[in-house]
Amino acid sequence: MPGDTLPVDLNAAQREAVKYLNGPCLVLAGAGSGKTRVITQKIAYLLRECGYSGRHIVALTFTNKAAKEMSERIRSLVDTRLARGLTVCTFHSLGVRFLREEAEQINLKPQFSIFDATDALAIIQELLATTDKARLRAVQQTISLWKNAMLGPDEAAQRALTPSDEEAARVYRSYEATLNAYQAVDFDDLVRLPVRLLEQNTAVRERWQQRVQYLLVDEYQDTNECQYRLVQLLTGDRAQFTAVGDDDQAIYAWRGATVENLAKLTTDYANLKLIKLEQNYRSVQRILSAANSVISHNPNLFNKRLWSEHGAGESIGVKAIDSDEAEAEWVGLSISGQRFDRRAEWRDFAVLYRSNQQARVLEQALRNLRIPYTVSGGQSFFDKAEIRDVLAYLRLLVNEADDPSFIRAVTTPRRGVGQGTLKTLGQFAATHGISLFEAVFQIGMTEQLAPRQLEPLETFGAFINRIQARAQKDGPDSSAEILDELISAIGYERHLYDTLDERQAQARWQNVLDLLAWLKRKAQEDSLTVIDLVQHVALVSMLERHDEADPDAVKLSTLHASKGLEYPHVFLVGVEEGLLPHMGREDDEQVLAADANMLAARVQEERRLMYVGITRAQRTLTLSWCKRRRRAREDVVREPSRFISEMGLASPVDASPDPQANYSPKERLSALKSLLQKT
Ligand SMILES: Nc1ncnc2c1ncn2[C@@H]1O[C@H](COP(=O)(O)OP(=O)(O)OP(=O)(O)O)[C@@H](O)[C@H]1O
Ligand SMILES: [Mg+2]
């Protein structure tokens, strides 16, 4: 029998959740109630007390960062030896591992490429032959929703009712064929393909069910249909799993996630153990009350109310400011002042916002004030041109069939391969059903290209082959060396200085160096070969930036990316109608205005996002909204968000928690001076 050496810092309900092993278990509870803690402690319990081997436990988190934090936490709780083989990762990373092992079963090479949203959009653009961004994105979104609902091109075509869905269904078919030709999968496939294989192939299913003896899922409310199926298939009839979630924090409906998955568990598993947690360990009571008050305006599936022993805390501040620039500066000054007054660290502060576009002014203001900061959830580092350039080479090394990477690599830096050459090469490849890279070695025999066209192609081919041979032969120890060799052989630094002004070239080269340093560190830490690295990178680019180290810096983050995290002091900026709740672009606004149900659903999802934001705060929360904001080069008049009045604050407008926060810079400076004199 397992002993009872659970740590004392679990309450009765948490303990029950940790120790429950008689089948499926759902922990349903509000923010900060220790759901994630239940998962970590349960893994430790399984390893230490119940004789589970790490190899048989899989824990799924929502982001790579959350996975990393969870692994570290577990390693601090149990002996490294015990945790060996343990899998803590995102659904998508698990999908990559699965597909690499099972690739042959679905006619995929284990070195398949993973296409991110930008790659996918480029393919759709080519197929649709339009540059209308809104239309492209709509098609992409529709395909993605179909994939997540496990609908293939045929089924999609059958169900398509509107002309735009019919168009999307046509594109879907060619899109699949294109991915196939490139030996590539997109993000949705990382879950969809494993599900399909597990459903169709009994031997594979039994093997995986043997392997996954206990499964844990964090942030369960944001799983989609496909992810739900994966959980079911991996755990089989034994259904040994624990899912934790909070329906009030479901913020990914727009990506096909469905909170109904929570309710569905209760119907699919008659023996489901449902555990609720009610004590919040994160925030002071005022913050919790505000969160409870806002979310009570939504209809919900499960009723829950949180309480905290942390005391009332300071009152929540709401600041109205003239413009977004003034708001950013005010936030920066307040943080500096509070850091001093509260003897806090920079890392104790987070600034959260609804939309990525808000980051730019905030970054500018913090830079001006010399406040260190990191940004997460922003425009991905991996979307920068220089990063995509370098990664194209790596992707091509790993998967020769990746034509988009071939084109990018062979033309950057310029090496005398022009559009005409590429076109001839493309036609040759298409006629023979081979990749562009293969075509390089075969087209020479046909005299379709002049010698001066052929020569740079062949040189390029030989160069890639040479490095490829090393990458395939050498183990993780050589990853760093191979990377260095590749970058210097490409001559990328010189290319940047040749094509850009010095300042830009310098900035971009620095990004490349950062990428290399990060790749090398990853290779070393996790003992990854160049091939492993490339697939790893594709996943990181999905949600988060490469901010793995935790420097003492203020955290700037979108609300979406702040999920699951906590900070002593939170500034929630831009709390305005139109921005939070977000109504999207103008065309979106019109669509919403015409459809009451859609509008209501949107506002509810935005309200949950507001709830997520409020509940990130441990000790203080300050909101701000701007009377005017720049929108597409125009100043637009704004109103405070309805969510502010829904918080039920005593005197909502301009009630600042910290009287000093209302000081002008000059006043603040003198306040600081006087404080300095006193101490
Ligand atoms: N029993 C406990 N005793 C003391 N502290 C606890 C306890 N349970 C959780 N905590 C702490 O409370 C905070 C919130 O816990 P955790 O992050 O696990 O909550 P959560 O329910 O996952 O929140 P979210 O919904 O935001 O993801 C953490 O700092 C955690 O260490
Ligand atoms: Mg959590």
Side-chain angles (χ1 to χ4, degrees):
M1 269 312 279
D4 189 3
T5 53
L6 286 179
V8 282
D9 48 0
L10 284 179
N11 62 34
Q14 288 175 321
R15 266 162 192 271
E16 192 188 4
V18 166
K19 294 179 74 174
Y20 186 80
L21 287 175
N22 290 333
C25 174
L26 171 64
V27 179
L28 188 69
S33 57
K35 297 183 296 296
T36 302
R37 178 180 283 218
V38 162
I39 293 209
T40 3
Q41 293 287 355
K42 188 154 189 169
I43 296 169
Y45 176 72
L46 293 170
L47 292 169
R48 253 190 339 224
E49 309 289 337
C50 310
Y52 275 80
S53 147
R55 276 182 300 123
H56 291 141
I57 302 176
V58 174
L60 297 174
T61 59
F62 203 72
T63 61
N64 292 310
K65 185 158 191 264
K68 188 163 190 263
E69 276 181 21
M70 193 176 280
S71 304
E72 277 163 11
R73 187 90 197 95
I74 293 162
R75 278 172 230 295
S76 77
L77 291 171
V78 304
D79 203 83
T80 334
R81 200 174 35 81
L82 269 183
R84 195 168 298 151
L86 176 71
T87 303
V88 182
C89 66
T90 61
F91 272 97
H92 293 93
S93 312
L94 183 69
V96 173
R97 284 179 213 194
F98 182 99
L99 289 179
R100 277 188 65 176
E101 281 178 40
E102 310 292 347
E104 279 168 21
Q105 314 263 8
I106 51 171
N107 289 328
L108 195 66
K109 282 192 302 185
Q111 305 91 322
F112 57 88
S113 290
I114 301 168
F115 279 13
D116 65 15
T118 314
D119 301 316
L121 203 65
I123 297 182
I124 295 173
Q125 176 160 2
E126 200 133 293
L127 293 172
L128 260 182
T130 173
T131 49
D132 178 350
K133 278 264 149 48
R135 194 162 140 224
L136 289 171
R137 263 196 300 261
V139 170
Q140 182 175 34
Q141 166 107 356
T142 310
I143 294 178
S144 172
L145 291 177
W146 278 329
K147 284 195 168 193
N148 283 311
M150 298 297 303
L151 300 175
D154 292 336
E155 288 146 309
Q158 274 163 18
R159 295 197 190 193
L161 294 175
T162 62
S164 66
D165 275 2
E166 279 165 9
E167 176 182 58
R170 271 195 304 278
V171 175
Y172 184 13
R173 187 181 308 279
S174 319
Y175 172 76
E176 285 297 279
T178 311
L179 284 183
N180 212 340
Y182 296 162
Q183 284 290 305
V185 301
D186 64 17
F187 282 147
D188 299 319
D189 290 337
L190 292 176
V191 186
R192 184 180 73 113
L193 296 178
V195 165
R196 214 174 58 189
L197 183 59
L198 286 165
E199 275 175 344
Q200 291 169 353
N201 189 320
T202 320
V204 172
R205 186 166 65 242
E206 279 170 0
R207 188 148 34 81
W208 278 85
Q209 289 181 351
Q210 205 50 36
R211 178 141 145 206
V212 182
Q213 294 186 3
Y214 207 94
L215 184 75
L216 306 99
V217 190
D218 199 1
E219 308 276 3
Y220 187 76
Q221 73 281 356
D222 283 320
T223 52
N224 59 32
E225 179 72 32
C226 215
Q227 291 165 328
Y228 182 83
R229 285 295 294 145
L230 188 63
V231 170
Q232 280 191 317
L233 287 161
L234 287 175
T235 55
D237 290 338
R238 267 181 306 163
Q240 282 287 48
F241 67 84
T242 296
V244 312
D246 176 5
D247 49 320
D248 290 332
Q249 292 186 67
I251 54 177
Y252 281 95
W254 55 281
R255 257 186 9 199
T258 145
V259 264
E260 275 77 43
N261 277 348
L262 284 170
K264 214 160 146 214
L265 275 184
T266 49
T267 49
D268 282 358
Y269 295 94
N271 61 339
L272 181 78
K273 174 84 176 170
L274 181 67
I275 295 176
K276 294 189 179 184
L277 307 176
E278 276 165 349
Q279 179 166 2
N280 170 295
Y281 291 93
R282 178 178 294 150
S283 315
V284 295
Q285 189 60 50
R286 272 204 173 93
I287 291 173
L288 268 189
S289 304
N292 283 336
S293 174
V294 167
I295 206 66
S296 71
H297 290 79
N298 264 9
N300 67 353
L301 294 169
F302 304 93
N303 249 332
K304 50 190 182 301
R305 222 161 165 87
L306 291 172
W307 58 278
S308 146
E309 272 176 351
H310 286 325
E314 294 174 30
S315 53
I316 293 169
V318 181
K319 177 85 178 163
I321 301 179
D322 286 333
S323 70
D324 44 357
E325 274 159 21
E327 178 185 50
E329 188 183 32
W330 175 78
V331 167
L333 286 168
S334 303
I335 291 177
S336 285
Q338 290 194 25
R339 172 171 170 268
F340 183 84
D341 298 342
R342 301 181 189 279
R343 299 184 199 291
E345 309 276 347
W346 294 120
R347 65 161 67 87
D348 295 335
F349 296 89
V351 185
L352 308 181
Y353 40 84
R354 174 63 181 88
S355 138
N356 266 322
Q357 277 114 40
Q358 293 167 263
R360 201 188 48 82
V361 264
L362 286 163
E363 284 192 64
Q364 188 61 49
L366 296 190
R367 261 200 307 272
N368 291 346
L369 293 164
R370 299 190 188 290
I371 297 174
Y373 66 86
T374 58
V375 191
S376 65
Q379 196 234 354
S380 173
F381 177 74
F382 293 94
D383 256 351
K384 294 181 190 297
E386 62 276 21
I387 301 303
R388 294 190 90 86
D389 285 345
V390 172
L391 289 177
Y393 281 87
L394 289 173
R395 279 164 48 161
L396 183 62
L397 278 186
V398 173
N399 173 17
E400 294 173 358
D402 187 336
D403 285 355
S405 293
F406 171 85
I407 293 172
R408 186 155 195 142
V410 82
T411 52
T412 337
R414 297 232 165 270
R415 46 171 61 83
V417 178
Q419 285 304 324
T421 310
L422 281 178
K423 208 164 157 200
T424 314
L425 191 71
Q427 273 156 2
F428 180 83
T431 328
H432 293 81
I434 54 176
S435 68
L436 292 173
F437 190 76
E438 268 177 275
V440 165
F441 299 95
Q442 297 185 17
I443 199 169
M445 290 174 269
T446 65
E447 296 186 359
Q448 290 183 20
L449 290 176
R452 69 172 167 79
Q453 291 177 300
L454 190 60
E455 203 241 289
L457 280 180
E458 288 185 337
T459 313
F460 177 77
F463 160 65
I464 295 293
N465 270 345
R466 202 172 58 240
I467 303 217
Q468 203 177 34
R470 275 205 67 190
Q472 278 160 1
K473 181 168 62 64
D474 295 357
D477 289 346
S478 317
S479 295
E481 222 177 284
I482 297 173
L483 289 170
D484 281 337
E485 192 185 317
L486 176 73
I487 297 300
S488 76
I490 302 173
Y492 196 76
E493 185 179 12
R494 204 184 41 226
H495 157 72
L496 288 175
Y497 282 91
D498 285 349
T499 50
L500 299 166
D501 73 43
E502 191 170 331
R503 210 173 45 87
Q504 275 181 322
Q506 217 167 13
R508 295 205 184 180
W509 179 239
Q510 188 53 49
N511 285 336
V512 172
L513 292 178
D514 285 353
L515 172 72
L516 284 180
W518 180 81
L519 287 170
K520 289 182 197 168
R521 197 174 67 230
K522 265 280 153 247
Q524 201 201 3
E525 271 175 11
D526 302 344
S527 190
L528 302 178
T529 63
V530 172
I531 295 174
D532 300 330
L533 268 177
V534 175
Q535 289 182 334
H536 183 84
V537 167
L539 294 181
V540 174
S541 58
M542 180 169 47
L543 266 182
E544 52 240 89
R545 246 173 79 153
H546 66 314
D547 55 353
E548 305 231 330
D550 179 28
D552 183 20
V554 172
K555 183 70 152 199
L556 299 186
S557 171
T558 59
L559 286 165
H560 281 101
S562 74
K563 214 164 78 140
L565 305 176
E566 55 191 16
Y567 304 93
H569 308 290
V570 168
F571 286 79
L572 185 48
V573 303
V575 192
E576 296 147 30
E577 279 301 300
L579 193 52
L580 182 62
H582 198 262
M583 291 300 160
R585 281 175 288 276
E586 252 162 63
D587 40 344
D588 273 4
E589 260 175 45
Q590 284 162 9
V591 173
L592 284 173
D595 186 335
N597 287 339
M598 217 161 113
L599 180 67
R602 168 76 70 96
V603 171
Q604 284 165 18
E605 174 138 319
E606 295 290 314
R607 191 175 280 119
R608 292 191 291 269
L609 200 51
M610 179 77 183
Y611 174 80
V612 168
I614 297 173
T615 53
R616 297 311 97 198
Q618 295 171 300
R619 289 173 49 202
T620 71
L621 172 66
T622 312
L623 312 179
S624 60
W625 65 277
C626 299
K627 297 175 188 160
R628 266 190 200 81
R629 181 175 293 276
R630 288 229 133 216
R631 187 168 153 169
R633 293 201 193 89
E634 223 180 301
D635 269 345
V636 192
V637 176
R638 315 291 285 193
E639 298 285 329
S641 167
R642 67 190 83 183
F643 300 150
I644 296 183
S645 49
E646 289 177 5
M647 288 168 78
L649 305 176
S651 54
V653 179
D654 262 337
S656 178
D658 161 15
Q660 292 189 22
N662 278 334
Y663 284 12
S664 70
K666 213 168 129 207
E667 287 168 323
R668 165 145 295 278
L669 202 62
S670 53
L672 286 178
K673 274 192 197 140
S674 78
L675 266 171
L676 279 169
Q677 272 163 3
K678 276 189 224 150
T679 46

